Amino acid sequence: IRESATLTRDVLEQHFNDLKGTLKKLLDERLMSLLQEVDAIERESIKPLDECQKLIEHGVSTADDLLREGESAVHGDVGQQNEKLCIFTKKALQIQLDSLPEVPSLVDVPCLSAQLDDCLLTILKNQIFGHGTVASRPPVQLEEFIEKPGGILVRWCKVDEDFIPQDYRLQYRKGTASHFEDVYVGSETEYVVLHIDPNVDYQFRVCARRDGRQEWSPWSVPQIGSTTLVPHEWTTGLEGYSLSSRRNIALRNDSQSCGVLYSKAPTYFCGQTLTFRQVLSGELIETVGQPDRRDSLGVCVEQQNGCDSLQRDKAVCISTNGAVFVNGKEMTNQLPAVTSGSTVTFDMEVVHLGPSSNEGGNFKLRVTISSNNREVVFDWVLDQCCVSLYFGCSFSYPGWKVLVF
């Protein structure tokens, strides 16, 4: 309670300080705009009056000069008087002193004033006093963390029955990092967060927004999640496949070389879920090439580098046409074809460990393979105890891109 209260105080103070700065900036900008408008009106309105004043002042100055010249002609010597009077008379006739420039009427002369509506303060006051709320119980909370190889499956649930969510927003941060990062926005109530370092604590939180609304709800109580499982990796060096930097994404390139791409080590353990996923589009398998009947995704007891498919002994797999193979034999049950957007998962559990004999132990695994919301369940009988398995894939044509976790 104290931690969330302290955090809430900090958020409120920061938000309102930001609002103060923004409001001051907006008010300063509005004031500057109005002052510039006053300057423009003053400049345009005073221009004809200034020109009129200049004309009047020029006429008065001219008349004053002429007056002084006439007085000089009258009071001059008798010999020069007639000549000066003649010059004065000619100049006086050339100068129009009986007309004035047009002066704007008083009603046409602008008189500036500022019109300020006092109701703005009332509106702002009502908006400010209604701005922001303090919530003590967020409508969604984190519910469960499930370890994945190099990832964590995060689940959350709605705890407010009156809250109708449209979208959820999941964030996380590593260790004591200062900022949370968005990792998922959508309508689902669970998400597998990948690229998680093993044995490192990550802090998660989730919020939601109502249908048709833009604002998000308060954040859930932050919780710590971690995984002890090392991430799955494809083995390097096979010519027909290109790998991502983390070696969990395999792309079938245009090399003519073919074969099965195996995992680096037998990192798939019974009791876990193995998932193949296309990482860029959010779909699980993406193909831009032609499928082949020998294409396959699955798990096996051991690597056999001479094979070009997982449709062999000591392996279970699904072909791109949806056929399921157990120890190289095709089952009668079939799943939907594996195409762009398909989901493929493998789940296994030990169901029987029989007594050992000369031929070896009778070891049985119950296997569930799911694809496109359909699944097949069968028992896989092996002649040796095996709780950790390799996974692999084989594609004949380029364009298949598979993420495994």
Side-chain angles (χ1 to χ4, degrees), residues 125-400:
K125 180 179 178 181
N126 293 334
Q127 291 292 326
I128 289 173
F129 278 99
H131 179 67
T133 57
V134 176
S136 59
R137 300 187 184 279
V140 291
Q141 293 286 2
L142 295 169
E143 183 178 28
E144 186 178 18
F145 296 99
I146 299 177
E147 293 184 69
K148 295 287 183 178
I152 301 174
L153 173 60
V154 184
R155 290 193 175 121
W156 53 88
C157 62
K158 186 182 69 169
V159 295
D160 183 354
E161 294 299 327
D162 297 328
F163 189 89
I164 308 300
Q166 174 184 337
D167 292 310
Y168 298 98
R169 181 183 181 187
L170 178 66
Q171 289 189 338
Y172 82 133
R173 65 182 178 185
K174 182 178 180 179
T176 58
S178 57
H179 297 291
F180 281 90
E181 299 179 21
D182 283 341
V183 69
Y184 172 76
V185 176
S187 59
E188 300 296 327
T189 56
E190 66 177 37
Y191 184 75
V192 177
V193 183
L194 297 176
H195 302 159
I196 296 293
D197 295 330
N199 303 308
V200 174
D201 287 340
Y202 287 80
Q203 197 172 43
F204 295 87
R205 65 182 184 181
V206 67
C207 65
R209 60 183 170 192
R210 296 179 185 271
D211 188 16
R213 304 290 290 271
Q214 294 297 321
E215 67 275 9
W216 293 99
S217 73
W219 290 106
S220 66
V221 177
Q223 295 190 39
I224 301 296
S226 63
T227 181
T228 59
L229 306 176
V230 297
H232 292 315
E233 294 183 11
W234 298 103
T235 190
T236 59
L238 190 60
E239 185 178 348
Y241 293 87
S242 303
L243 305 183
S244 64
S245 59
R246 289 180 176 264
R247 296 182 295 279
N248 58 347
I249 301 175
L251 171 65
R252 180 65 168 94
N253 56 39
D254 56 4
S255 171
Q256 297 300 317
S257 175
C258 61
V260 178
L261 177 66
Y262 293 102
S263 57
K264 181 180 178 181
T267 53
Y268 173 59
F269 291 87
C270 295
Q272 298 178 357
T273 298
L274 179 70
T275 305
F276 298 96
R277 175 179 179 183
Q278 204 285 330
V279 65
L280 294 179
S281 65
E283 299 171 347
L284 299 200
I285 307 278
E286 178 178 294
T287 177
V288 295
Q290 177 182 350
D292 186 272
R293 59 180 298 273
R294 300 291 291 169
D295 293 346
S296 52
L297 290 162
V299 296
C300 56
V301 175
E302 59 191 10
Q303 298 180 356
Q304 293 183 12
N305 295 324
C307 297
D308 61 354
S309 174
L310 284 173
Q311 300 169 18
R312 59 170 175 81
D313 189 35
K314 296 184 179 180
V316 294
C317 65
I318 176 175
S319 174
T320 50
N321 63 7
V324 177
F325 290 83
V326 183
N327 291 332
K329 297 180 180 180
E330 184 175 353
M331 295 183 61
T332 55
N333 293 336
Q334 186 164 333
L335 292 169
V338 178
T339 59
S340 178
S342 295
T343 300
V344 177
T345 60
F346 288 78
D347 289 275
M348 298 188 185
E349 59 178 336
V350 178
V351 293
H352 179 68
L353 182 61
S356 60
S357 63
N358 295 333
E359 291 77 17
N362 183 16
F363 188 70
K364 184 186 295 185
L365 296 176
R366 182 147 298 158
V367 181
T368 302
I369 304 178
S370 301
S371 177
N372 287 354
N373 298 320
R374 290 180 58 185
E375 65 180 30
V376 294
V377 182
F378 56 89
D379 288 340
W380 181 22
V381 180
L382 298 171
D383 59 2
Q384 64 188 77
C385 179
C386 189
V387 293
S388 64
L389 301 165
Y390 290 89
F391 55 86
C393 68
S394 62
F395 299 105
S396 300
Y397 295 95
W400 293 85

